[in-house]
Amino acid sequence: MRALLLLTTLLCSPAFADVIEAPGPVTAVTLYPQGATVTRTVTFTAPAPGAHEIVVPLPVWVDASSLRVSAPEGVTIGTMSVAEDRPAVTFDAGSPEVKAAEAEVDRIVALLRDKRRAVAEIRAKGEAAQARAAFLQSLAVRQGEDKLAAAGVEDLRALAALVGEEVLAARSAALRAEDEALAAEIALQPDVEAYAKARMALDALMAPEGEGTALTLGVVVAAAGEVALEVDTVAAEAAWAPVYDLRLTRDPDALTIARGVLVEQYTGEDWQGVDLTLSTSRPSEQAAPSDLWPILRMVVTEPPEPPMPADMAVGGMVEMPMAEMAMEPDAVRSTAQPVFAADMQGAVFTYRFGVPVDIRTEADALRLTMDEVTAEVAVRAEAVPSRDATAFLVAEFTNTTGQPLLPGSAMLYAEGAMVGGTELPLVPDGGEETIGFGAIDGIVLSREVPDRSTGEEGLISTSNRQDERAVLKIENLTGQDWPLTVTDQVPYSEQDDLEIEWFADPEPTTDSKDGERGILTWETELAPGETKTITLETSLAWPDGMILQ
């Protein structure tokens, strides 16, 4: 079939001097967060200057619209076409490998044929013994019927004994034959398995490289000799994502960021020994800003009120059908959807892996190590006594790598011990980020409320005043100094009728952490064995007849 297709191509392409089938192995891959550009190097030998037709086998996933071909100086690309479901490179039926594989298959087939014939002969002996036993039984019955009246008891006993011995001998021979046949069949299994392997090896040599398509290129070369073309295609079923190991050490404080990537692809084709480049470009996502359209709003004369139905006049209610209810028109909305992606401010970074990489299709994600960088870090203990029983180790670092740290999963290590995992957001060059590195069991927290007055018990108070006095305690049992941040909260109001007053001793460093009103923070130092105490009083008041929510 493939020879016929090649002959048809030759006959239908008189403008070309010859047809050359050339493989196009994947030699380079550029991976994006979603998708990839796959580069194949097509090498062939032009027998003479002039026009040639190059047939390149491609896998089935290739998108014809994404094909791009690059040629060196002295080579011109003319026509380019893609044929689906065309067999790939034809095999050489006369090659030593194919001949050796065929000879091995023939040898094992002949061996199996002889051994199976021996098994059949053994079973034939068993069947003959079974037939002999059946014949003896039927013969004895017939003779017994003919001579039963004339024979004496001794004669009948002798006949029965003779038949019994012969039948037993015949059946024993049949059982032995069946045992021999079963043993011979079991002995055949290694040869059956050898045949299956030999057949698979031969099929692998003779079969095309899988179902796919064929790229046909019309090229014109200036001189005979070896030519190398590059064919780029886009694969949607591939992706890469950053992964990190964040290792925090103290004395001195240092944060090491080990960067890696997870690579995966599902194209149905293994990529062997490719040059791998990782790009932050996102060609599969929105490339231009969203459009806006003018919003036309109108006002019209209010229609007169319809006359009141009779039953409404007497206090009744009329349920109007939904179709008759007036609906307020919505504003025209843009059809563009928001894109949730890291903002790279138009900059694209690429990372090239230094050694060839094998990326198998439909395999677990392949992890590749990139490098390790260090970051400026400030370590502190952060305490939230109203929610937690211990303080937590927190590191605030600045990205000084000269590159953005892309969003990805991160494993966290403190002093060599794994303490958990997190999702690292985008940290631009020069940006700051805060990461928690687990609990500090030696810094114990408590928040007690010895005095509380709500007027009345219950979740909703009908009194017009609520007072609370809370005592926060932070005790250091670790034996080392800690920079400490304590966080608590007080309510806030946007109503003039609800008056809120609060008092803290000592005063907080800020009363609006990260711009959030009512979030109080204290920045201090915690010495070994020291206990910090913070008193926080809150008072809420509102007019009579109103309730607090």
Side-chain angles (χ1 to χ4, degrees):
M1 178 64 183
R2 289 159 61 177
L4 178 60
L5 283 173
L6 184 57
L7 177 61
T8 303
T9 304
L10 284 165
L11 294 176
C12 296
S13 306
F16 293 93
D18 51 15
V19 175
I20 302 172
E21 293 203 41
V26 177
T27 55
V29 174
T30 299
L31 274 175
Y32 311 108
Q34 182 60 52
T37 296
V38 180
T39 301
R40 302 170 188 277
T41 300
V42 178
T43 304
F44 65 94
T45 300
H52 304 276
E53 186 174 87
I54 311 302
V55 180
V56 184
L58 297 176
V60 70
W61 58 263
V62 168
D63 177 14
S65 64
S66 69
L67 283 170
R68 298 295 183 270
V69 181
S70 302
E73 186 176 355
V75 179
T76 302
I77 304 296
T79 61
M80 183 172 65
S81 64
V82 176
E84 295 183 359
D85 299 326
R86 174 174 176 166
V89 179
T90 56
F91 67 94
D92 183 1
S95 68
E97 293 84 2
V98 173
K99 288 184 176 180
E102 288 177 338
E104 178 65 8
V105 170
D106 293 341
R107 183 189 70 80
I108 298 176
V109 167
L111 181 64
L112 284 172
R113 183 170 57 247
D114 294 341
K115 290 187 176 183
R116 282 175 174 157
R117 182 182 298 112
V119 172
E121 290 175 354
I122 294 171
R123 283 216 161 88
K125 293 179 181 178
E127 292 171 359
Q130 291 279 23
R132 180 166 170 263
F135 172 75
L136 288 173
Q137 286 179 310
S138 62
L139 180 61
V141 170
R142 289 197 301 272
Q143 287 180 348
E145 290 174 351
D146 296 339
K147 301 179 180 180
L148 182 59
V153 175
E154 294 300 328
D155 293 335
L156 291 176
R157 285 179 179 173
L159 178 62
L162 176 62
V163 171
E165 290 175 1
E166 293 296 330
V167 169
L168 177 60
R171 288 187 174 175
S172 297
L175 291 174
R176 287 194 301 272
E178 182 61 25
D179 290 341
E180 291 178 14
L182 289 175
E185 284 187 340
I186 293 173
L188 280 174
Q189 285 304 114
D191 297 312
V192 172
E193 294 173 1
Y195 170 77
K197 292 180 180 179
R199 183 74 255 181
M200 290 174 61
L202 178 60
D203 290 343
L205 291 171
M206 297 177 62
E209 296 181 357
E211 295 181 357
T213 59
L215 169 65
T216 302
L217 300 173
V219 300
V220 179
V221 299
E226 187 173 281
V227 178
L229 307 176
E230 286 191 351
V231 179
D232 291 338
T233 55
V234 174
E237 300 81 7
W240 76 278
V243 290
Y244 302 93
D245 287 344
L246 304 183
R247 301 183 183 275
L248 180 66
T249 56
R250 303 208 62 200
D251 195 23
D253 294 339
L255 178 64
T256 301
I257 304 173
R259 300 193 296 178
V261 294
L262 289 179
V263 175
E264 54 187 345
Q265 58 104 346
Y266 299 89
T267 63
E269 176 187 35
D270 290 341
W271 298 337
Q272 303 285 342
V274 298
D275 292 332
L276 178 62
T277 300
L278 306 175
S279 172
T280 61
S281 176
R282 302 181 297 279
S284 63
E285 297 182 5
Q286 183 172 332
S290 302
D291 292 327
L292 294 178
W293 291 271
I295 301 176
L296 175 64
R297 301 302 298 268
M298 297 183 296
V299 294
V300 296
T301 304
E302 185 176 355
E305 271 188 40
M308 183 180 296
D311 46 2
M312 288 285 287
V314 295
M317 295 294 293
V318 175
E319 183 176 353
M320 298 181 63
M322 290 296 295
E324 298 179 7
M325 297 178 65
M327 303 297 291
E328 181 180 355
D330 292 334
V332 177
R333 299 174 181 174
S334 169
T335 58
Q337 298 298 316
V339 176
F340 296 92
D343 180 14
M344 302 304 297
Q345 288 129 13
V348 174
F349 290 87
T350 58
Y351 310 92
R352 183 171 181 178
F353 203 68
V355 297
V357 180
D358 294 341
I359 308 175
R360 296 187 301 121
T361 182
E362 299 183 19
D364 293 336
L366 173 66
R367 177 163 180 162
L368 303 174
T369 300
M370 291 181 61
D371 57 15
E372 288 189 356
V373 295
T374 58
E376 298 178 3
V377 63
V379 179
R380 66 176 183 270
E382 192 158 312
V384 184
S386 64
R387 298 296 178 90
D388 304 323
T390 65
F392 283 80
L393 176 60
V394 172
E396 183 174 348
F397 69 91
T398 302
N399 179 12
T400 57
T401 63
Q403 304 172 4
L405 296 178
L406 303 176
S409 60
M411 297 301 298
L412 306 176
Y413 299 84
E415 300 293 348
M418 187 175 70
V419 295
T422 188
E423 290 295 323
L424 186 70
L426 173 71
V427 185
D429 181 35
E432 296 181 352
E433 185 58 35
T434 301
I435 302 292
F437 279 84
I440 306 173
D441 295 327
I443 300 182
V444 182
L445 314 179
S446 66
R447 188 182 194 275
E448 300 175 353
V449 185
D451 301 320
R452 174 181 288 167
S453 172
T454 60
E456 291 185 7
E457 295 181 355
L459 296 175
I460 299 179
S461 174
T462 57
S463 176
N464 64 347
R465 187 172 185 83
Q466 183 184 83
D467 299 305
E468 179 183 275
R469 177 174 173 269
V471 178
L472 288 64
K473 292 183 179 180
I474 302 95
E475 185 178 5
N476 183 5
L477 305 176
T478 65
Q480 60 179 311
D481 293 315
W482 286 94
L484 176 66
T485 299
V486 183
T487 304
D488 208 291
Q489 61 189 148
V490 293
Y492 74 95
S493 172
E494 296 181 347
Q495 293 177 295
D496 293 337
D497 289 334
L498 178 58
E499 298 179 0
I500 299 178
E501 296 179 352
W502 59 269
F503 167 80
D505 183 23
E507 292 186 0
T509 306
T510 178
D511 61 0
S512 57
K513 179 183 179 182
D514 298 329
E516 296 180 340
R517 297 171 60 184
I519 305 300
L520 313 181
T521 57
W522 291 261
E523 304 286 348
T524 184
E525 296 288 331
L526 189 63
E530 182 182 7
T531 299
K532 292 284 186 182
T533 301
I534 300 173
T535 301
L536 182 60
E537 298 179 359
T538 308
S539 177
L540 290 78
W542 58 93
D544 292 333
M546 304 182 75
I547 60 175
L548 176 66
Q549 293 183 335

